[in-house]
């Protein structure tokens, strides 16, 4: 066994097998003998299929591979090994060297290839395909590996320029295509027949087919037809949905699947080719009018303006610059993530290009096909991880229990029939019939109904769902992560004001930077030039923050035309200038036109904003000046660090904190004058590190990001419902904390502890400094230690007010250090962490995974920008963006605020409770019918076909589909619905109802046989009209009987009693508040129940001969009918008392409260002390009785909370430092 993709998300274990003739013969014989059932079993269980037909061998010699994922799902896959013949063993081998050697740069000159290539012997390479990825055999590793692209060959940025600028010769391109295949994200839309086969071979449909065949053999065509009809509709709906999703996905990637591109061949040759022919290492020309990228490529010459909404969900154009060819940056190893500002990603739209005269905008292909960023997104949609939800796992376990019950009935029927010398055919059909009774074939359709109804209700409130099974998961959410900008706050930013700095001190803030006194200042010049704006079709376009800043200055931006660019040797700069009215009229009158001061500024070089560096800069030149200037803007802390310290005001930190505490977003500006010897060309090759140093601080821009009106109310509703809320943002830490306070995520009396972690440096270990932020409401109080108090015996003991006094706040940088150097602290921190700031997209995904690892059911709500990974990974991802990026999110809301979250959770809870109700009802229906049939089998009788039909269609199907129609309850409550069928409360519910039904059926069955008028029924019997003496006189008379023995007093009695039991169970199980609207508001269900109750009561008390004949029931005395009415009334009353009074009120409150859960941190639930005192003795006794007194918590975050309550060093005290070496002893050193 080997491990593939070690350490990656798709890590797998792999075993090698080769075909075995004798095993295949045995499987063939077994398949014939079992009528194909063995083949189906091997199809459902791939590991059995491989092991049953093959023998184990080494991976190198394998013909078939068995793969198993290493995640919690442990999925099995089967793959067939293929062989290709190639001149080399690896795609980047240099063909003029031995096959094991690699070229230093992955390239090959044409002459050497022609000279040596023909003499090489082809190599046979084993490979296999799995989830749209090819894996090739590596002799050195003795394992299979995948080839991603050019980054497999570790090379520097400079070597990409030097070694790949000419492009690839045709022969080398053909060689690499052997490994990488065609550059295409091929979403094959399966044929309807293929989809039909996959759907029909589902185990449940096979069981339905078996049931239909059996019923047809017994001439029970009516219900068989009903099941076939439901199955056909279910299959047709499923096929339509799946086919539609495939077509949508196909159309999404088709836009760039096959386009014509210009490819460099040698230094000057350019040829037209199809994009499907591209391989890593090819050099493509980006046309001036733009294109949709067919691959991932790194820009080596020129500049591009790109719309990346396909990947990021953000429709703001992004400027991509060429990869550095010299300096420190060029010497660094190329990395897709680190250098993404130079990478054009597959599927993104290049809107415009900029270039030097006589030069072309060129990009080197890095990845192709499914290896690209978009390809990986499509792969994750085509091959998603299975939905891990306890309900579905428990449902299968519960069905296995029913199969076990069916097995007992099966054996009982066979033994009883043999003892009574029943014909073999009857034994077979009746024993198999027990199985179809115990495992209801209509269960999947009934379970799906509640989800379908919930999906329709969600659609009405503007929430669209592409993964209906996730609706149930929403009902268990106990933590929701929110993006900040565009989700909790308004999407755009408003300029609140500016505060300039002179001579190391701040001037008073100004509201309008466009005022005349500021027009000619370096501050406004920096605002007007330091941005990435561009004109697209005459309209300014770019980052909303840049747009707000630029429009506030009132300046005008002009870009050169293509003709102007071509006329000049250097690149024509973008020019900005103030409006003409900015120059005072008096000055204009006194000066000649030539003497007017010019404020036009040309942007010579641009260093785009980098989320890693948290800054951007530009090099500009003012018209008429010889010196160039550099302007810089970015995060205040970063900018201040790059400035000369004497230019940074002494009150910088205090001023910054004042603004950030009020929730403002602050951006700092700086400038510097460059050396006069720098030419335009020299500036183009300089690295940004040389430009962005020794700056002079010039002031702050204060932007206001308003909280959406709905935010505070929704967060309060979630907190009151015991659902924890967390903010995950890319914004500044203090701004994030301020917004968290303003929207109620962190309340006024609560402290925030910032965990500032730094990596090891200069022999110093990694460390965490714990900063306590000031509490605006309680600045005079110092809570240095906070305990988590949970009662030992009862997990949901109300958390004390003292526990609510602190939250952790973590930055993205600190989170990375924590996960690498402090893994033992990560779970402790996330248990109480509420604010995560400066988080990168992959860190958001990682955070979701950490929260899931401590058993939180996590929801993620974002506007689509940078949230794609987290939206996919969360149990329920809710996108507020309708852009293409939300294609991977299970839910998309048309409402652009978070009010959709409680709606989704309410509907999820209602759907989940409905699933439980329906499952319990269908299970009880099976058991009730099983009990009736088993009792009747004891007298060699059975229910009649039309009795089965009436029960299965008129009662069960109508009730099952209408009981799912209860809408969600109007508000969220603290209590959460149970997530497991195998839980004490639900098992008690089901078992008590089974015992109740069994008792009353046995009672009626035995009681009817004790009646004075009872006899073995014959067609001549008429118990309704004969006297007791005549009845007793005729008891010994024998008459011909029906061979099926359907008509008898036991059958009629059990039919009446069981019919009322189905209806009583339906009403008892169909619960409303607190998760669904009361059942009396579900008028289709109530109408169905009342109609059926009335009908059955009428035919029981006032028999109608035609109905009796149709249902094959016999006439019984009126006194017995009244007795039956009393029996069913008492039965219903007992069922109601057991379910509602005993289970829900008494045991539910005192024993099974752990279903509600303690969700840290939330507002404590107010409860009266006298009530708790009254409950304590009963709770203790019942906990002891049910063996739950010292039961440990089932979820990890409860265990963590209990473990921390006795930790005197947690949370760490203010102004202390924790070092990586101190973890075991939990010691901290004071600063």
């Amino acid at each position: 066994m080997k491990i593939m993709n070690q350490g990656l998300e798709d890590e797998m274990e792999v075993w090698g097998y080769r075909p075995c003739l004798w095993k295949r013969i045995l499987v063939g014989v077994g398949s014939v003998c079992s009528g194909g059932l063995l083949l189906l079993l091997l199809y459902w269980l791939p590991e059995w299929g491989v092991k049953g037909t093959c023998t184990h061998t080494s991976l190198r010699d394998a013909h078939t591979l068995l793969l198993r994922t290493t995640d919690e799902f442990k999925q099995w896959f089967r793959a067939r090994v293929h062989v290709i013949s190639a001149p080399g063993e690896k795609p980047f081998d240099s063909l003029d060297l031995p096959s094991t050697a690699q070229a230093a740069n992955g390239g090959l000159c044409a002459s050497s290839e022609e000279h040596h290539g023909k003499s090489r012997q082809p190599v046979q390479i084993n490979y296999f395909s799995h989830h749209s990825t090819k894996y090739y055999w590596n002799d050195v590793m003795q394992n299979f590996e995948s080839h991603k692209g050019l980054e497999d060959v570790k090379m520097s940025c400079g070597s990409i320029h030097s070694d790949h600028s000419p492009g690839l010769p045709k022969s080398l391109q053909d060689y690499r295509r052997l490994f990488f295949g065609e550059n295409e994200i091929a979403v094959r839309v399966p044929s309807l027949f293929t989809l039909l086969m996959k759907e029909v071979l589902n185990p449940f449909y096979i069981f339905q087919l078996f049931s239909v065949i059996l019923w047809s053999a017994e001439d029970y065509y009516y219900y068989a037809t009903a099941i076939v009809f439901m199955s056909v509709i279910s299959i047709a709906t499923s096929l339509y949905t799946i086919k539609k999703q495939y077509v949508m996905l196909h159309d999404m990637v088709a836009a760039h699947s096959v386009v014509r591109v210009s490819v460099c061949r040698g230094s000057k040759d350019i040829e037209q080719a199809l994009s499907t022919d591209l391989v890593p290492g090819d050099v493509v020309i980006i046309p001036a009018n733009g294109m949709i990228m067919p691959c991932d490529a790194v820009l080596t010459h020129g500049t591009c303006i790109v719309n990346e909404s396909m990947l990021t969900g953000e429709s703001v154009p992004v400027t991509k610059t060429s990869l550095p060819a010299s300096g420190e940056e060029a010497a660094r190893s190329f990395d897709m993530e680190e250098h993404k500002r130079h990478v054009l990603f597959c599927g993104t739209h290049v809107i415009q290009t900029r270039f030097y005269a006589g030069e072309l905008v060129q990009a080197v292909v890095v990845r192709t096909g499914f290896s690209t960023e978009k390809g990986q997104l499509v792969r994750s949609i085509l091959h998603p991880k299975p939905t891990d939800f306890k309900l579905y796992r428990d449902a299968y376990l519960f069905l296995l229990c029913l199969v076990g019950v069916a097995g007992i009935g099966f054996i009982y029927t066979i033994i009883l029939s043999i003892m009574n010398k029943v014909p073999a055919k009857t034994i077979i059909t009746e024993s198999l019939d027990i199985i179809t009774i115990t495992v209801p074939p209509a269960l999947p359709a009934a379970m799906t109904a509640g989800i379908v109804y919930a999906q329709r209700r969600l659609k009405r409130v503007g929430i669209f769902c592409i993964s209906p099974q996730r609706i149930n998961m929403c009902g268990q959410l106990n933590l929701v992560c929110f993006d900040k900008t565009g989700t909790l706050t308004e999407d755009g930013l408003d300029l609140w004001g500016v505060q300039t700095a002179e001579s190391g001190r701040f001037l008073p803030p100004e509201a309008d930077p466009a005022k005349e006194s500021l027009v000619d200042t370096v501050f406004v010049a920096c605002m007007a030039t330091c941005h990435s704006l561009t004109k697209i079709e005459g309209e300014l376009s770019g980052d909303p923050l840049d747009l707000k800043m630029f429009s506030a200055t009132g300046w005008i931006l002009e870009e050169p035309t293509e003709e102007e660019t071509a006329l000049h040797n250097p690149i024509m700069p973008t020019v900005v200038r103030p409006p003409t009215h900015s120059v005072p009229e008096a000055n204009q009158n006194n000066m000649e036109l030539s003497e007017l001061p010019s404020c036009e500024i040309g942007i010579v070089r641009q260093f785009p904003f980098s989320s890693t560096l948290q800054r951007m800069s530009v090099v500009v030149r003012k018209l008429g000046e010889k010196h160039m200037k550099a302007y810089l803007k970015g995060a205040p802390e970063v900018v201040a660090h790059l400035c000369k310290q004497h230019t940074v005001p002494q009150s910088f930190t205090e001023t910054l904190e004042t603004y950030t505490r009020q929730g403002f977003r602050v951006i700092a500006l700086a400038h510097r004058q460059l050396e006069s010897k720098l030419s335009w060309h020299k500036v183009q090759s300089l690295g940004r590190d040389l430009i962005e140093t020794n700056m002079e601080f010039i002031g702050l821009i204060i932007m206001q990001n308003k909280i959406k009106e709905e935010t505070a109310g929704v967060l309060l509703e979630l907190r009151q419902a015991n659902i924890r809320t967390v903010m995950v943002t890319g914004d500044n830490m203090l701004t994030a904390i301020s917004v968290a306070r303003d929207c109620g995520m962190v309340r006024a009396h609560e402290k925030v502890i910032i965990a500032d972690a730094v990596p090891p440096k200069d022999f110093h270990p990694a460390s965490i400094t714990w900063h306590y932020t000031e509490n605006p409401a309680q600045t005079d109080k110092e809570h240095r230690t906070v305990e988590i108090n949970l009662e030992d015996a009862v997990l949901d003991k109300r958390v004390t007010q003292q526990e609510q006094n602190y939250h952790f706040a973590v930055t993205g940088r600190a989170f990375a250090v924590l996960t690498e150097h402090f893994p033992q602290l990560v779970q402790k921190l996330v248990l109480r962490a509420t604010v995560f700031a400066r988080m990168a997209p992959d860190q958001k995904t990682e955070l979701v995974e950490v929260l899931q690892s401590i058993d939180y059911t996590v929801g993620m709500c974002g506007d689509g920008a940078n949230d794609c990974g987290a939206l996919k990974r969360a149990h329920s991802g809710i996108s507020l963006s309708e852009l293409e990026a939300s294609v991977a999110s299970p839910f998309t809301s048309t409402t652009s605020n978070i009010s959709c979250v409680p709606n989704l959770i309410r509907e999820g809870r209602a759907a989940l409770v409905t699933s439980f109700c329906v499952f319990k009802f269908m299970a009880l229906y099976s058991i009730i019918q099983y009990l009736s049939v088993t009792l009747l089998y004891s007298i060699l009788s059975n229910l009649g076909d039309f009795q089965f039909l009436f029960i299965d269609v008129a009662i069960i199907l109508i009730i099952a589909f209408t009981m799912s129609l209860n809408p969600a309850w109007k508000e969220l409550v603290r209590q959460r619905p149970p997530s497991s069928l195998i839980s004490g409360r639900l098992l008690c519910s089901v078992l008590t109802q089974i015992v109740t039904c069994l008792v009353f059926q046995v009672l009626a069955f035995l009681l009817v046989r004790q009646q004075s008028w009872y006899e073995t029924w014959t067609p001549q019997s008429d118990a309704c009209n004969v006297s007791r003496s005549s009845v007793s006189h005729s008891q010994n008379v024998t008459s011909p009987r029906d061979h099926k023995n359907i008509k008898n007093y036991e059958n009629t009695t059990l039919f009446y009693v069981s019919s009322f039991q189905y209806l009583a169970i339906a009403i008892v199980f169909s619960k409303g508040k607190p998760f669904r609207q009361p059942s009396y508001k579900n008028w289709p269900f109530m109408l169905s129940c009342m109609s059926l109750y009335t009908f059955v009561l009428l035919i029981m008390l006032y028999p109608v001969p035609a109905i009796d004949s149709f249902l094959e029931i016999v006439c019984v005395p009126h006194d017995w009918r009244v007795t039956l009415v009393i029996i069913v009334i008492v039965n219903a009353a007992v069922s109601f008392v057991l379910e509602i009074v005993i289970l829900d009120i008494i045991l539910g409150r005192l024993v099974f409260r752990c279903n509600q859960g303690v969700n840290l941190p939330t507002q404590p639930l107010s409860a009266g002390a006298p009530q708790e005192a009254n409950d304590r003795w009963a709770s203790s006794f019942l906990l002891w009785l049910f063996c739950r007194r010292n039961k440990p918590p089932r979820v990890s975050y409860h265990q963590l909370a209990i473990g921390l309550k006795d930790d005197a060093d947690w949370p760490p005290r203010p102004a202390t430092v924790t070092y990586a070496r101190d973890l075991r002893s939990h010691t901290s050193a004071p600063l």
Side-chain angles (χ1 to χ4, degrees), residues 412-574:
Y412 164 79
T413 305
I414 291 174
I415 293 170
L416 193 68
S417 300
I418 291 172
M419 289 171 62
N420 288 282
K421 298 180 180 179
V422 175
K425 182 185 175 184
T426 308
I427 293 176
I428 293 169
T429 54
E430 288 191 346
S431 56
L432 291 175
D433 209 24
I434 279 284
I435 297 173
T436 65
I437 287 169
T438 316
V439 184
L443 180 62
M447 290 279 286
T448 305
I451 296 172
V452 171
Y453 296 148
Q455 191 174 4
R456 283 166 56 186
R457 289 194 295 268
L458 284 172
K459 195 172 181 180
R460 286 192 210 116
V461 294
I463 301 172
F464 295 91
C465 173
I466 62 169
S467 180
Q469 296 303 323
R470 298 237 180 189
I471 295 175
N472 273 342
M473 295 181 105
C474 295
Q476 275 296 307
L477 290 183
N478 51 14
L479 185 147
V480 184
C481 298
F482 291 97
D483 180 39
K484 183 180 78 70
T485 308
T487 303
L488 298 174
T489 61
E490 296 289 351
D491 208 4
L493 290 165
D494 295 317
L495 184 72
W496 180 85
V498 297
Q499 189 159 14
T500 58
E502 280 185 14
S503 306
R505 62 184 181 85
F506 279 118
L507 300 180
E510 298 275 0
D512 183 14
K515 63 188 296 186
E516 290 182 7
S517 60
L518 295 174
V519 167
D520 203 24
T521 60
V522 290
F523 187 91
V524 171
C526 184
M527 285 181 68
T529 56
C530 196
H531 53 70
S532 56
L533 301 179
T534 185
K535 277 196 171 179
I536 298 173
E537 297 179 356
E539 291 291 324
L540 268 181
S541 183
D543 186 273
L545 182 122
D546 287 347
L547 280 169
K548 284 281 183 186
M549 279 175 47
F550 185 76
S551 60
T553 64
W555 285 40
I556 298 165
L557 182 140
E558 294 175 351
E559 288 186 328
T561 61
E562 289 183 31
E563 292 79 10
E564 288 174 324
T565 306
L567 288 172
H568 296 77
N569 185 30
I571 187 170
M572 275 291 288
T574 298

Side-chain angles (χ1 to χ4, degrees), residues 485 493 545 663-667 701-705 731 735:
T485 308
L493 290 165
L545 182 122
F664 292 117
R665 183 169 178 181
V666 183
I667 296 160
I701 300 172
I702 301 100
M703 309 292 285
Q704 192 174 21
N705 191 199
D731 207 344
T735 302

Side-chain angles (χ1 to χ4, degrees), residues 124 201 237 247 289 302 362 408 415 426 437 459 469 517 558 585 599 647 654 736 799 841 923 930 937 1153:
Q124 302 295 313
L201 291 179
T237 306
V247 170
N289 59 349
Q362 295 180 345
I408 295 169
I415 293 170
T426 308
I437 287 169
K459 195 172 181 180
Q469 296 303 323
S517 60
E558 294 175 351
E585 288 185 17
C599 291
T647 65
E654 294 80 5
V799 282
Y930 171 81
Y937 275 3
R1153 287 184 299 171

Side-chain angles (χ1 to χ4, degrees), residues 1-7 11-14 59 70 141 143-144:
M1 186 269 287
K2 293 275 188 178
I3 303 286
M4 293 195 322
N5 303 326
Q6 195 156 10
E11 184 179 272
M12 291 180 292
E13 299 168 341
V14 57
L59 287 182
T70 57
M141 292 170 54
N143 200 352
F144 288 92

Side-chain angles (χ1 to χ4, degrees), residues 398 919-921 923-924 927 981 984-996 1069 1139 1143:
F398 205 92
F919 197 95
K920 286 163 63 180
F921 173 68
L924 259 294
I927 296 297
L981 281 167
R985 188 169 183 169
L986 268 77
L987 287 177
C988 276
S989 172
V990 171
L991 291 174
T992 52
Q993 296 302 329
I994 288 174
V995 171
T996 304
F1069 282 166
E1139 182 71 18
L1143 267 169

Side-chain angles (χ1 to χ4, degrees), residues 644-676:
K644 299 172 184 174
Q645 285 308 300
H646 71 274
T647 65
V648 180
Q650 290 184 348
S651 61
F652 170 79
T653 305
E654 294 80 5
T655 305
L656 178 61
E657 285 192 10
T658 302
Y659 287 127
T660 52
R661 276 207 191 90
Q662 295 175 61
F664 292 117
R665 183 169 178 181
V666 183
I667 296 160
L669 304 183
H671 83 119
R672 101 178 239 221
Q673 187 166 294
L674 301 179
E675 297 81 1
S676 57

